[in-house]
Amino acid sequence: MRRKPVVRAGLSALLVLGALSGAGGAFSTAAAASGADAPAAKPAAASAPSATLVRALGRDLGLTADQARDRLSQEAAAMRLEPKAKRAAGASYGGSWFDTGSGKLVVGVTSAERAASVRATGATTRVVEHSAAALDAAKARLDEKARKQAAPAGVSSWSTDPRAGAVVVRVRQGSEGDTAVRAFLREAKRSASVPVTVEKAPAQAPTTFAAGTVGGDPYYTGNVRCSIGFSVQGGFVTAGHCGQAGGSVSGWDGSYIGNFQGSSFPGNDYAYVSVGSGWWTVPVVLGWGTVPDQLVRGSSEAPIGASICRSGSTTHWHCGTVLAKNETVNYSQGAVYQMTKTSVCAEGGDSGGSFISGDQAQGVTSGGWGNCSSGGETWYQPVNEILSVYNLRLHTA
């Protein structure tokens, strides 16, 4: 469906990401007229979530309005607390996750002696057998194997699971008996110093969410249509499979936006696009009329179990939860490492779009399986890694 002209005008006038209507902020019209990056507004105190955001979260997670408001508040507190709790745990840190039952951040520790220090930060603790470092090291050995020889197509993905204290390998339904899959699992279990468990994945293979060119969408490169991720000073970040370094990018109206300054896929799935020619950046994620356009105030990482929402040019605004981190996704083009998996649906053309938790940027849409009619899962490339790789500064309100 094509967007109404008034929405398109808002996109053209305020940036590739969307208008500020209903986002709770405003920017200098003088800066906009100059075509330069609009200056970020002074940091503002976090406001109560809008009624439409609460309804969207309730729709996708089955929560009442009060439950959605409480959860958003609890998750924001968990995001602020996680770095402190991790430092307090030190080498005994066994990973962390948000517990929806208690509304608390749970931190795994391998040493009972460190538990008191972690609890002093406000987190709850669970004594676990394996540290996060040990889990990551075991997964890294699987990643290295996949770099040398592609994993079987029947293996969908693999990740660390701090709650289970294991590396989890997901095998596509119907591929359990494949010789190559069984050999992959035997080697994974033989070489790992931590438990390796197997979960059943959908028969559908994970794919990226790029799409052929259609009208009324945020940006194009060649015959591919993708979605904007987040504004950075001088441009925006998006998915690497959407275009190669040097490639030209145009907006919904066909006008030139800029060029891919860097792109990595597979292995990673991130890219940086410069912005010029009358386009500029604002710290906004488009709400598509489902919720007010959302201001971006930072990039604190949401823990496993937290709610998260995604904005994309095809299926617009959808929410879900963080299911796993540091997951390797076995796309047909090659493995992509250190991804975050969510229960949020997506479809072709949503690639590169924004994943956001509250007002904190999380990552850009990579791929997944399923759709927004029957459901599915989607992976994103964490935004902080992209900022670090390209030495970028997130544009925040």
Side-chain angles (χ1 to χ4, degrees):
M1 179 183 296
R2 298 172 69 90
R3 275 174 282 165
K4 294 180 181 179
V6 66
V7 178
R8 289 166 167 259
L11 286 169
S12 178
L14 286 174
L15 168 82
V16 283
L17 277 181
L20 285 173
S21 173
F27 291 85
S28 165
T29 54
S34 72
D37 287 349
K42 293 181 179 179
S47 56
S50 67
T52 49
L53 176 58
V54 168
R55 283 197 297 272
L57 202 63
R59 174 199 66 189
D60 291 338
L61 296 184
L63 303 175
T64 67
D66 286 343
Q67 288 171 334
R69 280 189 287 267
D70 287 346
R71 181 156 174 173
L72 287 167
S73 176
Q74 292 163 350
E75 289 172 352
M79 278 189 275
R80 292 191 297 269
L81 180 59
E82 190 172 36
K84 301 176 186 176
K86 184 176 181 179
R87 287 194 297 270
S92 74
Y93 178 68
S96 54
W97 57 93
F98 178 78
D99 179 65
T100 57
S102 65
K104 299 282 189 180
L105 180 73
V106 181
V107 177
V109 290
T110 58
S111 167
E113 289 75 17
R114 301 294 297 182
S117 297
V118 175
R119 286 194 295 270
T121 68
T124 59
T125 59
R126 180 189 296 176
V127 177
V128 296
E129 185 175 353
H130 302 287
S131 68
L135 294 175
D136 289 342
K139 178 186 172 287
R141 284 191 283 274
L142 272 183
D143 290 345
E144 185 59 29
K145 175 178 171 61
R147 288 186 178 96
K148 293 177 179 177
Q149 181 179 359
V155 175
S156 177
S157 65
W158 56 92
S159 66
T160 58
D161 184 351
R163 291 167 293 190
V167 171
V168 180
V169 179
R170 295 170 182 86
V171 175
R172 292 169 55 193
Q173 187 173 0
S175 299
E176 299 89 344
D178 290 357
T179 301
V181 169
R182 295 175 68 177
F184 182 90
L185 294 174
R186 281 197 303 270
E187 176 60 22
K189 293 177 180 180
R190 185 192 66 79
S191 61
S193 57
V194 302
V196 174
T197 61
V198 180
E199 288 185 359
K200 184 178 293 186
Q204 181 181 353
T207 59
T208 54
F209 285 127
T213 300
V214 269
D217 298 291
Y219 85 90
Y220 305 91
T221 176
N223 64 346
V224 172
R225 183 254 297 179
C226 282
S227 301
I228 304 295
F230 293 96
S231 286
V232 296
Q233 299 300 330
F236 64 83
V237 294
T238 186
H241 70 262
C242 290
Q244 298 181 343
S248 177
V249 173
S250 58
W252 59 264
D253 59 355
S255 66
Y256 171 75
I257 295 176
N259 293 81
F260 281 88
Q261 299 300 310
S263 178
S264 179
F265 179 81
N268 305 293
D269 196 3
Y270 51 62
Y272 162 50
V273 176
S274 61
V275 166
S277 302
W279 297 78
W280 59 91
T281 66
V282 289
V284 170
V285 171
L286 193 63
W288 295 100
T290 301
V291 300
D293 298 345
Q294 301 294 296
L295 286 174
V296 178
R297 299 186 184 275
S299 58
S300 296
E301 188 176 345
I304 292 172
S307 65
I308 194 166
C309 297
R310 179 192 56 73
S311 179
S313 61
T314 299
T315 57
H316 300 170
W317 186 273
H318 287 274
C319 302
T321 58
V322 177
L323 298 177
K325 296 185 180 183
N326 191 22
E327 181 146 311
T328 298
V329 185
N330 192 28
Y331 292 131
S332 61
Q333 302 95 326
V336 178
Y337 308 95
Q338 296 180 321
M339 304 289 276
T340 298
K341 183 170 71 173
T342 76
S343 64
V344 187
C345 67
E347 296 179 14
D350 287 328
S351 278
S354 322
F355 266 92
I356 188 167
S357 183
D359 55 11
Q360 300 296 303
Q362 299 299 311
V364 300
T365 302
S366 173
W369 63 269
N371 56 54
C372 289
S373 297
S374 59
E377 294 176 339
T378 303
W379 289 273
Y380 67 80
Q381 173 80 60
V383 70
N384 286 330
E385 180 182 357
I386 311 174
L387 300 176
S388 175
V389 167
Y390 294 121
N391 194 27
L392 300 172
R393 182 160 61 93
L394 185 69
H395 197 163
T396 57

